[in-house]
Amino acid sequence: MAFELLNPTIRSFLADQDIHEPTGPQAEAIPHILEGENLLLVAPTGIGKTEAAMLPVFHLLMQTPGKGIKCIYITPLRALNRDMLRRLEEYGGALGIKVAVRHGDTSQGERTRQSRSPPDVLITTPETLQIMFTGKRLREHLSRVQFVVVDEIHELADDERGAQLSVGLERLVGLAGEFQRIGLSATVGTMDEIAASLGGVGRDVTMVRHDVSKDMDITIQSPRATDDDRALSGELQGDPELIACMRRAKELIDAHRSTLFFVNTRDTAEALALRYHLWDQGGDVGVHHGSLSKDVRMEMEDRFKAEDLKALICTSSLELGIDIGATDFAIQYNSPRRVARLIQRMGRAGHHVGGRTEGAIIASNADEIAEGMVIARRALAGEVEPLRVRPAPLTVLANQLVAMARSGPVLLDDAYATVHRSHPFRELERPDFDAVVSTLESIHLLFVDGDRYRRSRRGMQYFFDNISMIPDERTFMVRDLSTRKVVGTLDESFVASFAEPYATFITRGRTWRILEVKEDELLVEQVNEIGSIPSWVGEDIPVPCSVAQEVGRLRRTGDMTGYTADADSMSKLEDYLQEQRSEGPMPSDRLITIEIGKRLVIIHSCSGSRVNMTLSKLLSVLLTARLGESVGVTTDPYRIILELPRDLGAGIIVDTLRSIDPGSLGALIHLVMRNSSHLRWRFVYVAKKFGVIDRDADYRAINMRKLFDIYEGTPVCDEALAKVMWEDLAMEDTAHLLRDVRDGRVSLEVTRVTTIGRAGLSHSKELIQPQRANRSILMALKHRLEGEVSHLTCLSCRNQWRMRVADAPPKAVCPRCGGRMVATLPTYDRDKVSLLDRRKPTAEELKDIGRLSRNANLVREYGPRAIMTLAGRGIGPDTAARILSGYHDDEEDLLRDILAAEIQYAKTKRFWD
């Protein structure tokens, strides 16, 4: 038995804890680790993976004398670090092994103590490991490392954090020599990829998979709305179907001891939590997500563990192994989009060895029912989607080249060899490596001297600004004025769009009114109403092609055998499919239907999020070129919705779709994406990670279009394009679909708008998504804006002259002095130019002077578009800057953003009035 191989002191401690038999994963993994093998252990949540790794490591540490850090335990989250410290300190205390944690929240005093007297086992994050390479004393301690354990490695392997960690492990080899590598992962579809990421090039990794998963009981439920739900929908400002789902969830919560209520996005979590609060003021439902403050998250976790809360509405923030007590039920609101995500989330119920998983997917409509049924079936059958590791992310290469130089000059050959040993960079060509080095030298992040390079002063600042590869956006703290406590954070894009004094928004499941907008925080007070739902970056979860294809097969065959759902869900889905059959053909895995409406086309393609996104990019550009006018596009995993400038015959759509050659897809999408606003937004992220733009740079002060043109053809732009192609599009699956269409395996059929088409227009995958303004609305807005009269004002000589927006010249120049600093002011603001002559302006007047300057800069940079935007109701220079920096490919995109800003201003003004 595996425990018999361990030190008697360890066995005695386990017996004291009433642990006498190893779990399956422990029995399989412990002998391999004791033999010194690199190992990847894949097993469900809550089945003893941590002990499977650490019991043999503790055994080996007890035989290893000397000081220094001998084992590094890496987790993706600080919250996991705290949990792991508590668990491992129990073992360490009994075994005479010192355990400590080091991450961003660790105090300076504790860091100093660790530097002077290092622990045997250090628990940390990938980012803190990067920092540890920079200290002379810490590097000495790292030189004694013999074991590295990477927990929840599936959360890291397929993104840039994982690539950074892979290179970091190779850098650690340079300090400590070879060490034993142990990876712990939840259920994944491709063990080989994760094992390769863990081991790097040329190292064997033993793979242990525990296939006897916990007993899972998952049902799909979709209650029908009752009269009570319809009555409550007005009070809670949600449609009856949403209220019915909330009621069913509350029934399940009340029937269990502790329930985790998973949703896919933070805005959904906030919307549901607020409605539960309004429904039951003294309710026992909390909310937990990554944009709440650390104090709020810990408060929610503690209240849930203490059973003060019966349910916690949460996002992926609680997917991982954080200890949140005895959870006996899990709810997923709408489809989780991916099989691995469902397994991980449902695994949190019965989160202990031998525990039974019980959970439910509560679906709000027929599309969600079908997708939920497919994902649940695949989860129970162990059909998990593959995990892919992106090759050679150049942002990570740039990051690590600068990081290596922190400890002294680096030979270029050594740097290339180190990076090349890691799995993500195993195919990196030397010319590509040299091109990144040249780019970094050109922006003074490092200096190249013959065959080596060294750090620069700017490179030192870059390193600390870019330790993390997590995509980020500048955030604002939300501070409760009454308690002075920080309740959460909001992304800059939301603040720039909506954060005006007296506007209301939702966070922590409550509505807050903004009292003051400061440089880096909002001062707020709580109110009892429904406010705006914030948006945060990184929210969308794509549905894989394989899942969407099975939904299409389910539609085609109507065979529900093998799928789990309650009677209401089955009935709803069957009614939906029957209604579709009565109106037209059934879109499926073998049939793409093209529905023609009034200036509207709905292409039903059961191909998943990324395939439909890829097709939509191609179709919109090809149709725009053919029509000479812009085409609006929205997509979901089952549809591409085209909004046209005028009615078109079906033949044009069919011909355009068939004209896309699968063989030239790559070249065509490269051309399309190079001219898209989507690529430019990716470019902003890449430029920050390369150090081209400072991390906290104000996007309003940067001409992104010009910057993009400057770096065209460099690794910066190449990386932005590669990132879009890998993360947002699906080239291989799209080419496969196009070949199937060409060869007749997938048919095309034209029809009128049917049930499934109307469903795509009437509901979204989450709670509420604003409808896209149609062309007639946008043209009416344009007509109104062009009719506005603006007072153009020279800030140099104070000259003013009237002009209709429609008559704005390409470049605004003062006719009196030839000045180029010309602001555009509405009639009621025209007198503010006099503030420029004040000797001692007040603080408020200084703010107005600043707005005049920003206004003139916008007019100088964007010309007539700025004048039109600033003519919008309630649109000041800050909001206008956010709109104008969006790289609009056409005028309609600009008008949509102006309309959205006007609507938000109207809501705020109506509340205040």
Side-chain angles (χ1 to χ4, degrees):
M1 189 175 75
F3 282 178
E4 293 175 354
L5 302 174
L6 300 174
N7 186 288
T9 308
I10 297 176
R11 297 203 305 268
S12 176
F13 177 79
L14 292 173
D16 291 343
Q17 304 298 310
D18 200 26
I19 301 173
H20 303 283
E21 298 285 338
T23 64
Q26 292 165 2
E28 292 182 67
I30 287 173
H32 291 290
I33 296 173
L34 290 175
E35 288 295 321
E37 299 173 24
N38 298 318
L39 180 128
L40 172 66
L41 172 59
V42 176
T45 301
I47 203 160
K49 291 196 295 287
T50 300
E51 286 74 15
M54 290 307 296
L55 290 178
V57 168
F58 282 137
H59 171 93
L60 295 169
L61 288 177
M62 294 173 74
Q63 302 174 356
T64 308
K67 293 184 177 181
I69 301 168
K70 303 182 190 70
C71 173
I72 299 178
Y73 194 104
I74 299 171
T75 82
L77 297 176
R78 287 183 234 180
L80 269 175
N81 282 357
R82 291 192 295 269
D83 272 359
M84 208 52 60
L85 177 65
R86 178 184 55 78
R87 292 172 64 182
L88 296 186
E89 271 188 326
E90 290 185 40
Y91 287 99
L95 304 175
I97 294 172
K98 186 178 177 182
V99 180
V101 68
R102 189 183 184 100
H103 52 56
D105 293 335
T106 304
S107 69
Q108 185 57 50
E110 174 62 19
R111 294 182 192 200
T112 302
R113 281 191 293 275
Q114 291 175 8
S115 182
R116 291 173 179 166
S117 178
D120 300 296
V121 177
L122 183 69
I123 304 166
T124 191
T125 60
E127 290 72 28
T128 301
L129 176 63
Q130 293 289 321
I131 297 174
M132 290 173 65
F133 285 120
T134 65
K136 182 179 179 180
R137 191 175 290 175
L138 284 172
R139 286 169 60 84
E140 183 181 342
H141 296 326
L142 289 176
S143 69
R144 298 180 177 89
V145 168
Q146 299 180 37
F147 309 94
V148 172
V149 180
V150 185
D151 201 355
E152 308 284 5
I153 190 173
H154 61 284
E155 283 291 312
L156 298 168
D158 65 343
D159 63 17
E160 289 166 3
R161 290 183 81 198
Q164 184 192 48
L165 177 59
S166 292
V167 177
L169 293 180
E170 298 307 323
R171 292 171 61 197
L172 185 57
V173 170
L175 288 176
E178 291 293 339
F179 48 83
Q180 190 171 356
R181 306 178 184 212
I182 302 164
L184 306 178
S185 173
T187 304
V188 291
T190 45
M191 290 180 66
D192 291 350
E193 275 286 87
I194 296 183
S197 294
L198 174 68
V201 176
R203 299 183 190 90
D204 294 329
V205 177
T206 301
M207 293 180 283
V208 173
R209 184 170 198 142
H210 188 67
D211 291 322
V212 183
S213 64
K214 297 192 308 179
D215 189 8
M216 297 177 68
D217 183 2
I218 305 171
T219 62
I220 288 78
Q221 303 185 26
S222 185
R224 294 186 182 274
T226 65
D227 290 341
D228 288 344
D229 296 330
R230 282 183 275 274
L232 191 58
S233 65
E235 178 184 340
L236 299 184
Q237 297 182 32
D239 60 53
E241 287 71 25
L242 167 63
I243 305 305
C245 290
M246 289 179 60
R247 170 178 50 80
R248 176 58 55 83
K250 190 69 168 68
E251 292 168 354
L252 291 170
I253 290 167
D254 290 341
H256 292 87
R257 180 177 170 184
S258 292
T259 299
L260 284 178
F261 190 159
F262 286 102
V263 296
N264 292 335
T265 62
R266 284 169 277 185
D267 52 2
T268 305
E270 291 290 1
L272 287 174
L274 175 69
R275 284 170 172 83
Y276 274 118
H277 174 67
L278 295 177
W279 189 3
D280 180 6
Q281 295 287 326
D284 49 9
V285 177
V287 62
H288 187 291
H289 60 72
S291 289
L292 294 173
S293 69
K294 172 190 166 186
D295 289 343
V296 170
R297 293 197 305 272
M298 291 180 68
E299 176 195 344
M300 292 293 173
E301 292 166 20
D302 291 343
R303 290 182 63 193
F304 187 71
K305 280 190 276 191
E307 300 187 13
D308 183 34
L309 295 174
K310 281 185 67 66
L312 207 49
I313 299 174
C314 53
T315 59
S316 54
S317 61
L318 286 181
E319 265 183 33
L320 304 183
I322 300 170
D323 180 14
I324 36 78
T327 304
D328 63 342
F329 198 75
I331 295 172
Q332 166 68 44
Y333 176 71
N334 280 334
S335 158
R337 313 296 180 229
R338 303 178 72 82
V339 176
R341 189 171 293 269
L342 179 65
I343 292 173
Q344 186 77 1
R345 291 179 170 185
M346 291 295 121
R348 298 313 309 274
H351 182 63
H352 57 275
V353 176
R356 173 184 174 82
T357 289
E358 285 191 274
I361 298 173
I362 297 181
S364 61
N365 57 65
D367 281 348
E368 297 286 357
I369 293 169
E371 191 174 289
M373 287 168 56
V374 166
I375 289 177
R377 185 205 67 75
R378 296 172 79 91
L380 293 169
E383 299 173 17
V384 186
E385 50 273 311
L387 180 146
R388 304 183 307 154
V389 174
R390 181 183 161 209
L394 298 185
T395 49
V396 175
L397 177 59
N399 172 280
Q400 290 297 281
L401 285 171
V402 176
M404 288 181 200
R406 285 280 300 147
S407 54
V410 182
L411 287 169
L412 287 166
D413 287 347
D414 288 350
Y416 178 70
T418 297
V419 170
H420 200 258
R421 286 199 308 269
S422 69
H423 177 66
F425 291 96
R426 65 196 182 280
E427 296 178 357
L428 177 70
E429 300 289 343
R430 184 60 187 256
D432 296 328
F433 173 88
D434 291 338
V436 172
V437 171
S438 297
T439 300
L440 296 176
E441 184 181 26
S442 72
I443 56 178
H444 310 299
L445 289 184
L446 48 81
F447 298 120
V448 177
D449 183 12
D451 62 351
R452 66 194 64 213
Y453 70 92
R454 57 187 171 85
R455 70 185 185 185
S456 68
R457 184 179 298 274
R458 185 168 183 264
M460 291 172 63
Q461 184 59 48
Y462 162 88
F463 171 77
F464 287 107
D465 285 346
N466 292 275
I467 290 167
S468 173
M469 298 306 300
I470 299 172
D472 61 1
E473 182 177 4
R474 183 185 173 198
T475 58
F476 286 71
M477 290 187 296
V478 179
R479 189 180 299 278
D480 184 351
L481 188 61
S482 63
T483 65
R484 305 304 299 178
K485 289 183 177 180
V486 175
V487 296
T489 61
L490 294 176
D491 284 350
E492 182 180 36
S493 58
F494 181 78
V495 173
S497 303
F498 302 118
E500 302 288 345
Y502 311 111
T504 59
F505 66 94
I506 302 170
T507 194
R508 198 186 174 185
R510 305 289 186 269
T511 297
W512 306 84
R513 178 188 293 138
I514 298 171
L515 300 177
E516 186 178 354
V517 181
K518 302 187 117 180
E519 185 177 347
D520 58 358
E521 70 177 15
L522 308 181
L523 298 182
V524 299
E525 65 179 0
Q526 191 172 326
V527 293
N528 194 33
E529 60 181 65
I530 293 182
S532 299
I533 303 174
S535 59
W536 287 279
V537 297
E539 290 284 278
D540 293 336
I541 303 170
V543 174
C545 180
S546 57
V547 169
Q549 287 272 285
E550 186 170 340
V551 170
R553 188 161 60 251
L554 184 63
R555 287 178 179 180
R556 173 171 54 85
T557 64
D559 183 4
M560 308 291 180
T561 306
Y563 295 100
T564 304
D566 68 2
D568 278 342
S569 301
M570 285 290 192
S571 174
K572 271 189 180 182
L573 181 57
E574 287 169 353
D575 289 348
Y576 179 67
L577 298 181
Q578 184 55 44
E579 186 176 350
Q580 173 65 25
R581 293 188 190 98
S582 68
E583 288 193 341
M586 178 69 71
S588 70
D589 57 326
R590 297 183 186 174
L591 176 65
I592 294 175
T593 62
I594 302 171
E595 299 185 351
I596 308 295
K598 186 71 173 175
R599 293 202 297 274
L600 177 76
V601 172
I602 306 172
I603 300 172
H604 292 276
S605 169
C606 296
S607 303
S609 303
R610 288 175 173 158
V611 171
N612 285 351
M613 172 68 78
T614 309
L615 278 177
S616 75
K617 296 290 184 188
L618 295 169
L619 288 171
S620 64
V621 168
L622 294 174
L623 287 171
T624 295
R626 189 165 185 171
L627 300 175
E629 296 183 74
S630 66
V631 175
V633 180
T634 55
T635 66
D636 69 30
Y638 309 98
R639 304 169 185 83
I640 301 168
I641 302 174
L642 304 174
E643 294 184 33
L644 306 171
R646 59 181 181 273
D647 289 338
L648 290 180
I652 292 178
I653 306 297
V654 173
D655 290 348
T656 303
L657 186 58
R658 289 190 180 278
S659 71
I660 304 173
D661 178 15
S664 60
L665 179 63
L668 181 58
I669 201 69
H670 269 76
L671 181 64
V672 167
M673 294 311 299
R674 281 195 176 277
N675 295 305
S676 74
S677 59
H678 188 78
L679 174 63
R680 290 193 177 94
W681 280 116
R682 285 292 194 192
F683 171 77
V684 171
Y685 165 80
V686 170
K688 286 185 177 182
K689 292 302 179 187
F690 256 89
V692 171
I693 304 172
D694 290 339
R695 178 187 175 191
D696 293 325
D698 187 344
Y699 63 88
R700 296 170 296 188
I702 299 171
N703 186 330
M704 290 297 179
R705 188 183 296 273
K706 183 177 180 181
L707 194 65
F708 184 85
D709 291 341
I710 291 172
Y711 283 92
E712 179 79 25
T714 71
V716 182
C717 277
D718 292 344
E719 169 69 3
L721 181 60
K723 190 173 176 66
V724 168
M725 303 282 279
W726 183 268
E727 295 184 7
D728 304 323
L729 306 180
M731 303 300 295
E732 187 176 328
D733 287 339
T734 304
H736 182 77
L737 175 63
L738 291 171
R739 283 192 293 270
D740 283 348
V741 170
R742 181 194 62 193
D743 299 341
R745 289 184 293 272
V746 172
S747 304
L748 302 180
E749 188 168 343
V750 177
T751 182
R752 60 190 176 89
V753 178
T754 64
T755 296
I756 289 183
R758 287 190 294 272
L761 297 172
S762 65
H763 66 252
S764 73
K765 288 295 179 187
E766 290 300 339
L767 293 179
I768 300 168
Q769 183 175 349
Q771 289 188 345
R772 185 180 174 91
N774 62 36
R775 195 169 188 276
S776 62
I777 292 173
L778 296 178
M779 291 304 101
L781 172 64
K782 179 183 178 183
H783 180 73
R784 192 199 85 215
L785 292 173
E786 289 183 336
E788 295 284 346
V789 174
S790 175
H791 290 265
L792 296 186
T793 303
C794 177
L795 302 192
S796 299
C797 70
R798 316 298 190 258
N799 181 36
Q800 290 188 324
W801 65 101
R802 286 163 51 94
M803 181 180 292
R804 288 175 67 249
V805 169
D807 300 327
K811 295 185 182 298
V813 180
C814 176
R816 177 188 294 173
C817 71
R820 297 292 300 276
M821 283 294 286
V822 176
T824 175
L825 303 176
T827 301
Y828 56 82
D829 267 349
R830 60 176 300 190
D831 293 334
K832 286 193 174 178
V833 69
S834 64
L835 297 175
L836 296 171
D837 298 318
R838 295 280 175 90
R839 289 189 176 182
K840 293 183 178 181
T842 66
E844 196 59 36
E845 288 171 343
L846 283 172
K847 289 182 181 178
D848 285 335
I849 291 171
R851 293 187 188 103
L852 284 173
S853 178
R854 293 197 295 277
N855 182 314
N857 280 324
L858 289 172
V859 172
R860 184 167 62 176
E861 181 173 355
Y862 295 100
R865 286 195 166 193
I867 294 173
M868 174 184 284
T869 303
L870 287 160
R873 292 168 185 163
I875 297 179
D878 291 342
T879 301
R882 188 266 308 168
I883 293 171
L884 291 164
S885 65
Y887 320 110
H888 302 90
D889 293 330
D890 58 68
E891 186 178 65
E892 288 188 14
D893 282 341
L894 175 66
L895 290 168
R896 283 190 176 89
D897 279 357
I898 293 172
L899 179 60
E902 286 194 340
I903 290 170
Q904 184 59 34
Y905 169 76
K907 289 178 179 177
T908 303
K909 187 173 185 299
R910 183 166 59 248
F911 167 77
W912 184 236
D913 290 342

